[in-house]
């Protein structure tokens, strides 16, 4: 599969870029770039793809993406509806690994920053309570003049390094892509995200990918290290996690809302992917939310 190589605009007055996005479709494609990306979802929910990792993102999340690691942020459908109340607010920093010089990152005082940048090659998602502090730093990065920005970026990276975090993409993910696959991944992802609540037939998704049904399964697994069935289950369970967190409908309703025909299958796949039952996942999240 071929993600799109993006060349980011850098002006001569700044050594790295900082921007704020309020349009949910800005990162709505499978892409990569030579710069490291540090992204803060101040407000926004959806599905994120980092290498071969699929999971939900939500308001407050901070993710660090290494150079040339493909990624894709897909906001929920609510953000694209007319007269929606859902508003995206995303703050993004892009910087080259050695923009501050090769010697700087190797200073003993920067061991933590060097470690987290090395970890970013597989993608890093901050798991616990540094996100509030990081949000304050991001707000300053967006608003401050350029003379303070390098200090603020160092502070943000230090906070990420001090946090509990998880690496996203697997160590076996293949970064090599063929030109002939340029648009297939976007077509597969877009169609799957729009139709995961239904039973997607092999012939149906193979037609979207413009290859034969006999070739599709082999093609998809060779590029993603997972079967298409596993891919769809990860999307469905990610959506189930969102609905459990919102706590507006019961678990059995969530099962059918996410495309499963029976509760036993839903429960099996949910526990396989999250290592928790749906009810335990919901109880743990709600308990943590009350504490914060």
């Amino acid at each position: 599969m071929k993600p799109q190589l993006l060349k980011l605009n850098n002006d001569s007055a700044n050594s790295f870029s900082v921007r704020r996005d309020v349009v949910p479709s800005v990162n709505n494609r499978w892409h990569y770039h030579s710069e490291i990306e540090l992204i803060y979802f101040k407000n926004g929910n959806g599905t994120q793809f980092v290498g071969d990792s699929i999971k939900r993102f939500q308001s407050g999340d901070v993710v660090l993406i290494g150079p040339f690691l493909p990624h894709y942020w897909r906001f929920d459908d609510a953000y694209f509806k007319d007269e929606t109340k859902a508003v995206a607010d995303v703050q993004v920093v892009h910087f080259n690994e050695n923009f501050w010089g090769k010697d700087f990152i190797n200073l003993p005082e920067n061991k933590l920053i060097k470690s987290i940048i090395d970890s970013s090659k597989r993608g890093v998602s901050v798991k616990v309570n540094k996100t509030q502090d990081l949000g304050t730093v991001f707000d300053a990065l967006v608003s401050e003049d350029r003379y303070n920005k390098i200090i603020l970026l160092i502070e943000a990276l230090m906070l990420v390094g001090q946090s509990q975090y998880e690496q996203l993409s697997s160590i076996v993910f293949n970064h090599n892509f063929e030109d002939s696959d340029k648009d297939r991944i976007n077509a597969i992802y877009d169609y799957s995200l729009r139709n995961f609540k239904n039973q997607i037939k092999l012939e149906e998704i193979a037609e979207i990918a413009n290859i034969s049904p006999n070739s599709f399964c082999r093609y998809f697994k060779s590029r993603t290290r997972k079967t298409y069935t596993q891919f769809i289950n990860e999307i469905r369970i990610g959506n189930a996690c969102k609905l459990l967190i919102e706590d507006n409908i019961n678990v059995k309703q969530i099962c059918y809302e996410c495309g499963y025909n029976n509760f036993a299958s839903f429960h099996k796949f949910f526990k396989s992917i999250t290592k928790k039952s749906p009810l335990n996942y919901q109880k743990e999240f709600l308990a943590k939310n009350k504490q914060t």
Side-chain angles (χ1 to χ4, degrees):
M1 83 190 114
K2 174 71 174 178
Q4 182 175 0
L5 172 62
L6 295 187
K7 293 185 178 179
L8 304 175
N9 293 324
N10 292 314
D11 61 80
S12 59
N14 297 283
S15 56
F16 64 96
S17 68
V18 182
R19 74 169 193 262
R20 181 184 179 196
D21 296 330
V22 293
V23 178
S25 59
V26 169
N27 288 304
N28 195 16
R29 52 186 160 170
W30 181 242
H31 68 280
Y32 65 96
H33 35 70
S34 60
E35 294 84 358
I36 296 170
E37 178 173 313
L38 180 61
I39 184 166
Y40 168 51
F41 294 95
K42 187 171 185 177
N43 192 39
N45 301 287
T47 304
Q48 74 178 26
F49 303 81
V50 177
D52 57 2
S53 166
I54 306 171
K55 61 176 292 185
R56 294 286 302 172
F57 70 86
Q58 60 188 18
S59 299
D61 280 1
V62 175
V63 183
L64 185 66
I65 303 293
F68 300 104
L69 178 60
H71 52 285
Y72 172 32
W73 317 105
R74 171 69 182 231
F75 279 79
D76 289 336
D77 290 341
Y79 290 85
F80 298 93
K81 292 180 179 177
D82 294 335
E83 300 179 3
T84 182
K85 294 181 179 179
V87 178
D89 189 350
V90 182
Q91 297 168 356
V92 189
V93 181
H94 289 109
F95 61 97
N96 287 308
E97 185 172 356
N98 291 316
F99 83 93
W100 36 39
K102 292 182 179 179
D103 293 334
F104 177 82
I105 197 65
N106 290 313
L107 292 172
E109 291 85 357
N110 292 328
K111 184 177 180 180
L112 189 61
I113 294 178
K114 181 176 174 58
S115 175
I116 197 65
I117 287 177
D118 287 342
S119 296
S120 76
K121 293 172 184 175
R122 286 170 51 198
V124 165
S125 177
V126 175
K127 294 182 71 175
V128 293
N129 263 347
K130 293 292 182 184
T131 53
Q132 186 173 1
D133 296 334
L134 277 162
T136 302
V137 174
F138 267 99
D139 286 339
L141 269 166
V142 170
S143 61
E144 289 281 342
D145 63 52
R146 66 176 184 266
Y147 302 109
N148 293 324
K149 287 187 185 294
I150 288 181
I151 296 171
L152 289 166
L153 176 57
I154 291 171
E155 184 178 352
L157 292 171
M158 290 291 290
L159 286 168
V160 173
Q162 291 166 0
S163 303
Q164 290 184 18
Y165 60 83
E166 63 174 319
Q167 291 195 273
L168 298 172
S169 185
S170 71
I171 199 166
V172 297
F173 178 71
N174 185 2
H175 289 233
N176 297 318
F177 307 97
E178 298 176 6
D179 288 339
S180 60
D181 294 328
K182 181 175 180 181
D183 298 317
R184 277 185 179 144
I185 190 61
N186 277 321
I188 293 169
Y189 280 12
D190 284 341
Y191 190 84
S192 301
L193 285 163
R194 283 187 279 107
N195 294 279
F196 71 87
K197 295 180 183 180
N198 306 316
Q199 298 302 314
I200 301 175
K201 295 180 180 178
L202 175 59
E203 294 78 11
E204 191 179 342
I205 193 62
E207 183 178 354
I208 294 298
N210 198 27
I211 54 179
S212 72
N214 288 337
S215 300
F216 178 83
C217 294
R218 184 171 62 253
Y219 163 81
F220 191 83
K221 190 169 184 180
S222 70
R223 268 63 172 188
T224 65
R225 305 281 179 171
K226 61 183 72 178
T227 65
Y228 185 70
T229 299
Q230 182 183 353
F231 172 79
I232 285 294
N233 278 319
E234 288 177 2
I235 292 174
R236 287 174 173 166
I237 296 306
N239 191 63
C241 291
K242 166 183 174 284
L243 296 175
L244 287 165
I245 287 168
E246 291 173 351
D247 196 23
N248 291 324
I249 57 177
N250 66 44
V251 175
K252 286 198 173 179
Q253 288 175 295
I254 289 173
C255 161
Y256 297 111
E257 179 68 19
C258 293
Y260 291 100
N261 293 324
N262 64 78
F263 188 74
S265 293
F266 169 66
H267 191 276
K268 181 184 79 172
F269 286 119
F270 193 98
K271 196 162 186 179
S272 172
I273 290 170
T274 68
K275 312 303 179 189
K276 300 171 186 174
S277 71
L279 282 175
N280 283 341
Y281 180 93
Q282 184 181 56
K283 287 176 182 177
E284 285 185 22
F285 178 86
L286 295 176
K288 288 179 183 177
N289 201 41
K290 283 182 181 178
Q291 290 174 5
T292 56

